[in-house]
Amino acid sequence: MTDLLAKRTLGRSRISVSPIGIGTGSLGADPSVTGPVEADELAVATLRTAFGAGLNYIDTAPGYRGGASDRRVGLALREIPRDRVVLATKVGSHPDRPGDMTGAAALWTIEQSLEVIGTGFIDVALVHDPSAMDTVLEAGGAVAALERLKEEGKVRAIGLGVQNHEFLRVAIESGRFDVIQSPYDYNLLRTTAEHLVDLAAGHGLGVVNASPFLAGLLSGVDPDEIVAIRAATGMWELRAQDVHRARRVWQWARDRDADLRALAMQFCLREQRIATTLIGPRRPSDVVEDIAAATKPVPDEDWDALADALPTFPASAPGGEAAVGPYPPG
């Protein structure tokens, strides 16, 4: 079988990335953490565990973890050679300029991230969760500003990160993006983003797939425990249909004594046209467990049985194919 952890190329950007990347939305958000100092230490230890294991793609945003994510990434990078890390951050998501897709806001946001992280350039600058694409693509919009920063060497690649499939299609066909990032729609619960993977590959764009475990529901832990942990750490609420389907998948894996975490991780990694799939670790042990899941041998009979079982489970909630704005209906 192809080495699932071999580096891959992020589309026409030609950037080499690890097939497992780190999303920082949950970084340091552990129920056992009681203060900001402990959260910083846990986040830095988690990122350095990832770097030490050869994972090089880090996805952050100025709005993650109440604004702490970019700063924590900067702390973790202090002792890491910059060329060992592929750093992605986002415009349109700064707490002081939320949803602002103007070129001025994009320039300001990237400068803020450069300063807070302590780096001279961003590898992948993603336009994040726009409410419409016309403002993003217009003459004074975010993409024009990012194209300018790309010419100046402050940005290496331009991407769009949103669940709305129509927005991602527009980005792919515009010819102005190098990367798309699709969250929650290519995993064992839902594979509705598959057509976007096809389209992006045909246009030479790199694909970043976020959340192989769909916010923890496919991590091998009882989905009801995941719902409780997310509530305790201030994360957004999971949709009932997804939780219901995840319970059935989890029970199937228990009954069969199959490793659901390995199946969920490797299901995404087996799609070679996806350059990197983002996990969302809270602590170092999550990184270790996810790498173990990615490399654990899975019997062919488990894959065959899973393929037979998936169509029999309750339907998931609709994904980005049903979105009107950034998100699908609740």
Side-chain angles (χ1 to χ4, degrees):
M1 184 176 69
T2 302
D3 181 0
L4 295 182
L5 294 186
K7 293 287 197 299
R8 302 180 186 181
T9 302
L10 190 61
R12 60 178 171 233
S13 76
R14 311 309 300 167
I15 298 171
S16 182
V17 298
S18 55
I20 300 175
I22 302 295
T24 62
S26 298
L27 201 62
D30 188 281
S32 66
V33 171
T34 57
V37 173
E38 293 88 346
D40 282 358
E41 292 172 349
L42 187 63
V44 170
T46 302
L47 288 174
R48 291 185 176 168
T49 298
F51 298 149
L55 307 189
N56 73 342
Y57 192 93
I58 306 299
D59 174 86
T60 181
Y64 286 173
R65 303 315 306 159
S69 178
D70 276 4
R71 181 178 56 79
R72 290 169 176 168
V73 169
L75 291 172
L77 291 179
R78 284 181 181 176
E79 298 175 11
I80 306 295
R82 180 64 180 84
D83 62 2
R84 281 185 51 194
V85 178
V86 178
L87 180 61
T89 192
K90 303 180 179 73
V91 302
S93 63
H94 196 286
D96 293 339
R97 306 286 285 270
D100 192 336
M101 299 296 164
T102 63
L107 292 171
W108 179 85
T109 301
I110 292 296
E111 290 298 336
Q112 292 294 309
S113 288
L114 292 173
E115 181 177 352
V116 172
I117 295 170
T119 184
F121 65 95
I122 301 297
D123 294 287
V124 181
L126 294 154
V127 178
H128 185 52
D129 286 347
S131 58
M133 286 299 290
D134 53 353
T135 54
V136 172
L137 295 170
E138 66 187 12
V143 172
L146 294 177
E147 288 169 336
R148 172 179 154 191
L149 292 176
K150 190 175 177 182
E151 291 175 0
E152 295 173 358
K154 291 185 177 179
V155 165
R156 296 178 66 195
I158 298 170
L160 175 68
V162 67
Q163 198 169 359
N164 185 304
H165 290 188
E166 177 60 18
F167 291 1
L168 291 167
R169 182 195 64 77
V170 169
I172 293 167
E173 294 179 346
S174 73
R176 299 177 69 183
F177 291 82
D178 307 296
V179 177
I180 61 163
Q181 180 167 308
S182 174
Y184 311 116
D185 287 346
Y186 192 90
N187 52 64
L188 290 180
L189 289 193
R190 185 167 48 244
T191 56
T192 55
E194 189 167 13
H195 72 102
L196 293 170
V197 176
D198 290 338
L199 189 63
H203 284 73
L205 274 73
V207 177
V208 176
N209 177 41
S211 200
F213 307 123
L214 212 164
L217 289 177
L218 297 166
S219 63
V221 177
D222 184 334
D224 290 335
E225 290 185 31
I226 296 299
V227 171
I229 289 171
R230 291 181 67 82
T233 54
M235 301 296 287
W236 48 269
E237 187 176 353
L238 295 163
R239 292 182 291 169
Q241 277 182 270
D242 287 341
V243 175
H244 184 44
R245 179 172 169 86
R247 286 194 193 104
R248 289 290 301 274
V249 176
W250 176 73
Q251 189 62 58
W252 171 89
R254 283 193 73 189
D255 293 345
R256 188 178 173 83
D257 196 26
D259 189 329
L260 179 57
R261 197 178 189 118
L263 287 164
M265 189 77 249
Q266 293 182 37
F267 176 80
C268 298
L269 295 179
R270 282 154 64 107
E271 175 49 80
Q272 292 289 319
R273 295 172 302 173
I274 292 174
T276 191
T277 290
L278 303 180
I279 58 175
R282 301 172 185 275
R283 50 191 177 267
S285 61
D286 292 342
V287 176
V288 174
E289 290 168 7
D290 288 349
I291 292 174
T295 56
K296 179 178 180 178
V298 175
D300 289 341
E301 51 266 32
D302 281 357
W303 288 114
D304 294 340
L306 181 64
D308 291 338
L310 285 175
T312 71
F313 299 142
S316 63
E321 72 282 0
V324 177
Y327 317 111

